[in-house]
Amino acid sequence: MEHFRETSGHKRRVLIVDDEMVNREILGNILSGKYDVSYAGDGQEALELIKGEKPGFSLVLLDLIMPRMDGFELIKLMRADNEMRSIPVIVMTAEADAEVKSINLGAADFITKPYDMPEVIIARCERIIEFSEDKTIISSAEKDNLTGLYSRDFFFEYIRQIEEFNNDTRMDAVVFNIDHFHLINEMYGRKTGDKVLKGLADILMNIFEDVAGIGCRAEADRYYVYCQHQYSYDNIMQKIQDNLPELSEKAKIRVRMGIYPNVEKDIEVEAWFDRAKVACDRIRGDYTKSMTMYSSELHEISRYHEELINEIDEAIENRDLIVFYQPKYGIQGDKPVLKSAEALIRWKHPRRGMISPGDFIPLFESNGLIQKLDNYTWEEVAHQIRRWREKYGRVIPVSVNVSRIDIYDPALEKKLMKLVEDCNLTTKDIMLEITESAYSDNQDTLVRVVENLRNRGFKIEMDDFGSGYSSLNMLTTIAIDVIKIDMKFIRNMLKDDKSLRMVKLIMDIAGFLEVPVVTEGVEEKAQVDKLREMGCDLIQGYYFSKPVPPEDFEKLIDKEMQG
Ligand code: C2E
Ligand code: CA
Ligand code: CA
């Protein structure tokens, strides 16, 4: 490193480049008390000096209009050179226009002629040198080792410095996140994970270099970029996506981008990126979108989500989370028979009232809290099955929802077995609904987990069947016990022929595989009749009952028992 701290006793070297001798003299006089000053009369001469001198210059003070090689040209050359790039340049000028242009080219600051405030000039030189040295020192000590990007703290500091000189330029804050990165680590190992992280950093820096972007890795798989304002990010996103397949042969990498465009300069730098992050997190789990812009509505939603996240522990403790039960009726006999139930969670919030799972399940799936919530639900359900068995002398099997995150929990099987044992149940009493989209993530793990659970005697229902691409494919690789047709086909089956044909087709396949079919979302008598005619075994839906609390479910059991 060519920079030395003042403490080493010698003066730093600065180079004044100006074609007018008078100007050189005046400025030299101002600075020579503090610095070891050299002079050049044009860009060409300066270049030779900069290249030849050791130790190097700590600062170049540059006039813009000169013969032979002008200041603009020299800055350009310096910026393009690996060694010269680190020497800060202060431009000396009388025209406002040139200032902006030179700052855009990469000058650190400018001083206006004539030089009538020597203290100010010295102070500015000091600041620039100090900052540039800090930058060099920090960048070797505090760069992120893995990716070579700036550390988060330095990144923020750097932006503040840039902003000080460049406050009028419109800038954007951009946040990137890798989808399900922890799964990439778990499934393919840390080495692959690291390779992906490093690779993505390279891709981002390559692409954002064109728009004067700087970047940092803020957390594990979260990147921040600060760059010139873009009217559209379509091109940038396209370029990134084109490069993603290079990152790993095995894992399919998806990246999300959140943008806070044209940042408000009055608020803290950190807050810019909080906003971009809000946007980025908003589309987590939404496979139809890969980028989104920050808006004030998003801000509200994210505050709401934050509250829910903060309150989940308390809610579990206070038993504000309540399991509702929705019956499933067998319809092939003379009259419908109550066969089993699905457990569906509700949050009875002390201030907000009843919150539907649609509000918090996707949120908790995205941050892993779902495991906590599901473990709670399963425990409640196990105890409920036991209580009903004691009260009615019969078991009403209940299916619980198993999120895809649960599947990758190595303790899943043990947890479920313990519940069964603690409540003195059999594994047949708890059925597991796994949504179809979970089947596309990592088939090998899923196949293994499902097989183990089935060997233990648990019944597996494939939920939302027909909603994704993998339906048929999965039926051939995995043994399941029940197919649950996606609600949207039922909703439309009497209105549009396509949905009806789809229901028929699924029913045929299920018949061929000898797997029973459940239809959910059944609301009308006409649907029940049609489904019965087509050979559907079980029906769940508002036609029979909405999901209800245990007390109300008991009324359904009572009715059933009375015949
Ligand atoms: P799901 O597993 O597909 O559950 C079926 C959803 O359809 C439930 O919504 C249910 O109330 C609703 N439903 C049932 N019959 C009808 C009907 O006839 N018409 C209409 N329009 N809707 C009907 P809910 O309770 O809001 O749950 C939404 C989703 O939240 C569930 O979809 C499930 O994926 C998830 N979920 C609920 N509880 C849990 C849980 O404890 N753990 C996990 N991981 N997910 C849960
Ligand atoms: Ca379900
Ligand atoms: Ca479903």
Side-chain angles (χ1 to χ4, degrees):
M1 199 165 25
E2 309 254 304
H3 301 285
F4 298 91
R5 286 277 175 192
E6 193 73 337
T7 47
S8 59
H10 73 277
K11 283 185 185 170
R12 285 179 182 72
R13 311 194 55 219
V14 305
L15 175 64
I16 296 176
V17 191
D18 197 318
D19 58 326
E20 283 178 53
M21 200 184 47
V22 189
N23 285 337
R24 290 203 297 265
E25 290 288 313
I26 299 173
L27 195 57
N29 264 334
I30 295 173
L31 296 176
S32 58
K34 176 115 188 139
Y35 299 107
D36 177 358
V37 183
S38 306
Y39 303 91
D42 61 53
Q44 193 60 49
E45 200 181 319
L47 204 58
E48 280 152 24
L49 274 174
I50 296 169
K51 285 195 159 158
E53 301 276 320
K54 295 274 180 272
F57 294 104
S58 296
L59 177 68
V60 173
L61 292 123
L62 184 64
D63 180 30
L64 287 175
I65 317 296
M66 293 181 296
R68 276 221 295 177
M69 183 193 289
D70 70 11
F72 293 114
E73 186 67 33
L74 181 62
I75 298 186
K76 259 196 225 154
L77 285 173
M78 287 179 69
R79 287 295 153 254
D81 181 282
N82 260 339
E83 286 205 356
M84 290 192 284
R85 185 183 293 162
S86 62
I87 306 173
V89 175
I90 293 181
V91 161
M92 304 173 296
T93 169
E95 312 147 66
D97 261 10
E99 289 160 14
V100 176
K101 191 168 168 205
S102 50
I103 297 272
N104 280 341
L105 277 174
D109 199 357
F110 54 87
I111 295 172
T112 40
K113 298 178 189 179
Y115 310 121
D116 41 21
M117 294 210 291
E119 316 78 45
V120 175
I121 293 175
I122 294 174
R124 285 177 100 150
C125 290
E126 273 180 67
R127 258 189 55 94
I128 294 294
I129 292 177
E130 207 173 279
F131 174 55
S132 125
E133 290 178 2
D134 275 350
K135 199 172 95 185
T136 327
I137 289 163
I138 289 173
S139 60
S140 49
E142 269 193 38
K143 261 192 176 169
D144 171 34
N145 275 336
L146 180 65
T147 61
L149 296 179
Y150 294 129
S151 72
R152 182 193 161 98
D153 288 344
F154 178 67
F155 176 73
F156 286 140
E157 191 48 42
Y158 194 6
I159 293 175
R160 277 189 276 271
Q161 297 280 355
I162 295 172
E163 280 300 314
E164 209 153 294
F165 304 119
N166 217 6
N167 194 267
D168 298 337
T169 313
R170 285 147 61 91
M171 301 298 284
D172 295 347
V174 189
V175 169
F176 289 91
N177 199 207
I178 303 175
D179 268 347
H180 299 300
F181 180 70
H182 63 110
L183 291 184
I184 297 172
N185 259 344
E186 272 164 41
M187 296 184 325
Y188 306 107
R190 277 202 84 85
K191 237 175 128 181
T192 303
D194 283 355
K195 213 179 123 216
V196 169
L197 290 174
K198 167 85 175 90
L200 180 58
D202 291 346
I203 291 175
L204 292 180
M205 282 309 97
N206 248 327
I207 289 169
F208 276 95
E209 212 168 36
D210 298 344
V211 289
I214 59 168
C216 81
R217 187 162 70 113
E219 289 153 46
D221 61 335
R222 203 187 283 281
Y223 301 78
Y224 290 179
V225 172
Y226 167 76
C227 65
Q228 281 168 2
H229 177 58
Q230 306 297 306
Y231 289 100
S232 158
Y233 275 86
D234 291 347
N235 262 336
I236 288 181
M237 195 58 181
Q238 190 56 52
K239 276 193 221 160
I240 293 170
Q241 278 170 346
D242 289 347
N243 280 292
L244 289 179
E246 281 169 25
L247 294 184
S248 168
E249 293 136 33
K250 293 171 271 181
K252 187 168 187 313
I253 313 294
R254 285 190 74 241
V255 170
R256 278 173 287 122
M257 165 160 66
I259 304 142
Y260 173 42
N262 193 11
V263 299
E264 225 176 287
K265 303 277 174 122
D266 296 342
I267 61 173
E268 290 283 323
V269 174
E270 280 87 345
W272 302 344
F273 288 90
D274 285 345
R275 292 186 171 185
K277 192 167 147 232
V278 162
C280 185
D281 287 348
R282 188 58 200 150
I283 47 171
R284 202 196 306 244
D286 178 348
Y287 291 93
T288 62
K289 286 204 194 87
S290 54
M291 66 173 166
T292 186
M293 297 275 169
Y294 172 83
S295 69
S296 53
E297 287 137 73
L298 273 188
H299 195 61
E300 277 310 300
I301 294 171
S302 90
R303 274 184 34 198
Y304 173 49
H305 281 174
E306 223 163 84
E307 261 181 68
L308 295 182
I309 290 168
N310 290 334
E311 289 168 348
I312 175 81
D313 284 330
E314 207 183 318
I316 289 179
E317 200 159 301
N318 298 344
R319 312 186 70 74
D320 291 337
L321 290 168
I322 301 169
V323 181
F324 275 38
Y325 295 84
Q326 187 176 31
K328 297 180 190 177
Y329 281 87
I331 52 160
Q332 285 302 337
D334 298 341
K335 62 182 182 61
V337 182
L338 174 62
K339 291 280 195 191
S340 56
E342 175 176 6
L344 292 157
I345 194 93
R346 302 286 180 266
W347 188 337
K348 200 170 167 189
H349 196 279
R351 277 175 295 114
R352 297 178 183 275
M354 204 63 102
I355 307 179
S356 97
D359 275 16
F360 56 87
I361 295 285
L363 170 69
F364 292 155
E365 275 179 337
S366 72
N367 59 20
L369 282 172
I370 189 71
Q371 280 192 24
K372 196 181 261 187
L373 186 138
D374 278 344
N375 292 348
Y376 168 86
T377 310
W378 302 341
E379 202 173 318
E380 290 288 294
V381 166
H383 286 95
Q384 189 63 68
I385 298 173
R386 189 191 56 191
R387 279 196 295 274
W388 280 335
R389 189 185 59 197
E390 280 161 8
K391 186 165 175 184
Y392 296 102
R394 62 174 271 203
V395 169
I396 296 144
V398 176
S399 47
V400 296
N401 288 287
V402 177
S403 146
R404 71 173 85 193
I405 312 285
D406 300 318
I407 302 281
Y408 301 106
D409 174 6
L412 174 67
E413 192 181 326
K414 227 167 79 199
K415 279 180 189 163
L416 288 168
M417 288 311 293
K418 182 167 186 310
L419 271 183
V420 166
E421 277 154 30
D422 286 353
C423 293
N424 198 13
L425 308 176
T426 73
T427 48
K428 286 193 182 53
D429 304 340
I430 300 181
M431 300 184 292
L432 308 172
E433 294 194 7
I434 302 177
T435 183
E436 191 208 274
S437 57
Y439 291 73
S440 55
D441 269 3
N442 176 339
Q443 298 204 352
D444 296 346
T445 308
L446 188 98
V447 169
R448 184 170 41 79
V449 171
V450 165
E451 243 169 43
N452 289 342
L453 290 169
R454 287 189 82 237
N455 287 341
R456 291 288 197 169
F458 289 103
K459 298 271 176 252
I460 309 292
E461 300 190 30
M462 195 191 273
D463 205 351
D464 309 320
F465 188 83
S467 63
Y469 314 104
S470 48
S471 327
L472 294 177
N473 196 9
M474 280 321 290
L475 282 181
T476 60
T477 48
I478 210 164
I480 51 150
D481 302 283
V482 179
I483 288 175
K484 208 168 178 183
I485 301 184
D486 192 49
M487 243 190 298
K488 68 170 182 278
F489 299 119
I490 308 302
R491 194 179 301 137
N492 298 322
M493 65 181 243
L494 297 182
K495 290 180 236 151
D496 99 65
D497 203 43
K498 249 193 191 153
S499 296
L500 183 66
R501 283 214 302 269
M502 189 70 185
V503 175
K504 268 192 184 137
L505 176 69
I506 297 174
M507 221 80 94
D508 274 354
I509 295 167
F512 173 72
L513 296 170
E514 296 179 0
V515 172
V517 170
V518 181
T519 45
E520 66 180 332
V522 177
E523 297 184 355
E524 300 157 18
K525 173 93 169 47
Q527 291 168 328
V528 179
D529 293 341
K530 187 76 191 167
L531 287 165
R532 185 164 179 233
E533 181 197 311
M534 288 195 283
C536 171
D537 308 281
L538 289 160
I539 279 185
Q540 176 184 348
Y542 294 175
Y543 174 73
F544 287 114
S545 167
K546 291 198 164 178
V548 292
E551 317 78 89
D552 293 351
F553 194 84
E554 289 184 5
K555 289 180 197 150
L556 298 174
I557 307 176
D558 288 337
K559 209 166 113 198
E560 188 77 17
M561 303 281 275
Q562 284 153 17

